Amino acid sequence: MCDALLTKHSWEIQKSHPNSQWRRDLVHIQRGLHLEVRPVTPDDDRREVDFFQAQTAHERSGRFLGVQEQLGPEQIRQFTHLNFSRDFAICAVNRATDAFVGVARYCRSIKDATRAELAVAVLKEYQGLGLGSYLAARVFEAAQEAGLHTLVAEMLKGNVAPLHLLNTVSHKLGWQQRLDRSDPDLDVMYLSPAHIQTTDTAQQFEERLKLPVPYTVDKSRHPHSLWRQDLVYPGGLCIEVRPSDVDDKHRLSSFAKICHRERVRRLQTAASEVGPEGDFLDFTTGFTLVAIDRSSDCIVGLAHFHRDSDWSCLNTLTSPSYSGLGIGDFLASQVLSAARSEVLGDLQARSARIPGSSL
């Protein structure tokens, strides 16, 4: 259905990646264009900046609903470093210049996991070829697959091009639409699929939004330690985070049984010959932090970094009973810092973290 939006504009659609849902090669022989359509990835930072700079002031104001002189670092990262289980972005890249010529995305609402903001932008010289409609249609497809109920598109008053584009796409795909003109500055279009696809994704996000990270970090018990601290939760739960040590062998064995030993083994290198807990106690080529419930004295979470001669890996694991409390994220962030300063030989970073130290 999406491909039909391009064929009337003389595009040839090549599925050069038969195992890919989103990648396409678009060839326009008359215009001599060869575009790659694919999801946006973290290495698109420069392309995103160049795309912004290639837009006219009028295009930028339509895209950002006001004056926007430049993209800040946080915006660039937001546009290119996506959590695809939550958001979606797809781009068209000119093969000859390796540059963005069009981007479309949705960004899920924080307050309502079934709703997302829609945005589509195509450079002026590539407009009129159906590219914007095609990119928008792919976003519609991704949104329906993700179980979204509504896409919301905001447009400046008098900007009729996006209205026409969304009318075309929604009609072609059978989506319902409602236009709200009550705002003096903006027109808002609400788009919904005729048949909402029920998935666990939206439900999971709704549940996750109800789970704030409620802990506070308390370093009062170990003021001179870099890596020892307590995560204190309302209701009395206290999780001690610290480097693993030889006294954790029994705790690690019990943790492995709770989380299934096979999952724990994946966190260890294949070269280990010192037993199932060996890698977690080796700080010469790695670093391990454990999270211990102080009331039960049991390990409930673990993060492990290992460095080999030509590769490195970082893994985290949390006990199922303690998932959703932010323990895994906290452990991962701490181990990343430890890997940099303790394992990878960044003495300057380590010195900066130790009061009174010097190189």
Side-chain angles (χ1 to χ4, degrees):
M1 186 68 72
C2 295
D3 294 348
L5 293 167
L6 284 177
T7 52
K8 69 176 184 178
H9 291 278
S10 302
W11 286 97
E12 178 184 337
I13 302 173
Q14 300 176 349
K15 297 182 179 180
S16 306
H17 308 277
N19 295 322
S20 174
Q21 181 178 0
W22 307 109
R23 277 177 162 77
R24 298 287 189 276
D25 283 317
L26 309 182
V27 178
H28 200 291
I29 298 177
Q30 296 175 356
R31 294 284 296 269
L33 295 176
H34 185 180
L35 307 182
E36 178 189 20
V37 175
R38 59 167 175 78
V40 173
T41 56
D43 64 341
D44 285 324
D45 284 0
R46 175 61 184 273
R47 297 181 184 91
E48 181 65 48
V49 173
D50 291 344
F51 180 70
F52 176 85
Q53 294 175 345
Q55 290 183 297
T56 65
H58 177 72
E59 288 173 324
R60 292 177 191 170
S61 64
R63 180 184 179 189
F64 295 96
L65 306 181
V67 177
Q68 181 90 11
E69 298 293 339
Q70 61 182 4
L71 291 178
E74 291 185 2
Q75 282 181 301
I76 297 170
R77 182 174 180 84
Q78 177 186 353
F79 289 156
T80 58
H81 292 63
L82 283 78
N83 176 357
F84 277 98
S85 63
R86 177 182 180 87
D87 305 323
F88 183 84
I90 194 166
C91 61
V93 181
N94 189 326
R95 289 277 196 177
T97 61
D98 195 31
F100 279 179
V101 300
V103 181
R105 66 179 69 243
Y106 72 70
C107 180
R108 199 186 295 257
S109 168
I110 296 177
K111 296 181 180 180
D112 183 355
T114 66
R115 176 176 292 201
E117 180 182 346
L118 169 68
V120 184
V122 176
L123 293 182
K124 185 176 182 179
E125 55 266 40
Y126 294 86
Q127 294 175 9
L129 298 174
L131 185 59
S133 297
Y134 178 74
L135 293 176
R138 300 315 304 270
V139 172
F140 279 40
E141 180 184 348
Q144 186 166 11
E145 185 175 286
L148 289 173
H149 295 186
T150 308
L151 290 177
V152 183
E154 295 182 339
M155 297 151 284
L156 292 175
K157 289 286 188 183
N159 192 0
V160 297
L163 282 175
H164 175 71
L165 182 151
L166 295 177
N167 278 327
T168 299
V169 175
S170 58
H171 176 74
K172 190 71 175 180
L173 300 184
W175 279 48
Q176 301 170 354
Q177 56 176 280
R178 177 174 65 86
L179 183 61
D180 183 356
R181 295 182 179 271
S182 60
D183 190 284
D185 301 314
L186 299 174
D187 288 332
V188 183
M189 181 173 283
Y190 299 88
L191 303 134
S192 302
H195 303 286
I196 296 175
Q197 186 169 328
T198 303
T199 67
D200 292 336
T201 305
Q203 298 171 7
Q204 289 169 355
F205 267 102
E206 287 176 343
E207 292 301 317
R208 190 175 300 178
L209 291 172
K210 300 175 184 177
L211 293 172
V213 180
Y215 62 76
T216 56
V217 180
D218 181 8
K219 296 179 69 71
S220 61
R221 290 200 307 132
H222 308 284
H224 302 297
S225 174
L226 290 176
W227 310 113
R228 291 178 183 267
Q229 47 226 311
D230 294 323
L231 306 183
V232 182
Y233 293 78
L237 176 64
C238 183
I239 303 295
E240 179 184 8
V241 175
R242 60 164 175 79
S244 61
D245 59 47
V246 69
D247 200 31
D248 286 325
K249 287 186 176 181
H250 177 71
R251 296 186 185 92
L252 287 167
S253 295
S254 299
F255 181 65
K257 294 176 183 178
I258 294 173
C259 297
H260 306 297
R261 182 168 294 273
E262 285 305 315
R263 292 181 63 195
V264 176
R265 282 177 178 169
R266 295 173 193 165
L267 306 187
Q268 304 165 4
T269 63
S272 175
E273 297 179 355
V274 291
E277 296 82 28
D279 281 349
F280 298 149
L281 303 177
D282 181 2
F283 287 84
T284 61
T285 58
F287 199 92
T288 303
L289 286 176
V290 292
I292 299 176
D293 185 339
R294 293 190 64 197
S295 64
S296 63
D297 195 35
C298 294
I299 291 177
V300 299
L302 179 148
H304 174 66
F305 175 84
H306 180 85
R307 182 190 188 190
D308 210 326
S309 58
D310 57 355
W311 59 271
S312 301
C313 67
L314 168 67
N315 292 282
T316 62
L317 190 62
T318 305
S319 172
S321 301
Y322 291 77
S323 62
L325 297 178
I327 295 174
D329 290 341
F330 182 81
L331 289 173
S333 66
Q334 291 293 296
V335 165
L336 279 173
S337 297
R340 178 171 177 264
S341 60
E342 305 287 350
V343 183
L344 301 179
D346 192 340
L347 297 180
Q348 186 67 44
R350 186 169 187 270
S351 176
R353 298 195 60 167
I354 304 176
S357 66
S358 60
L359 292 179

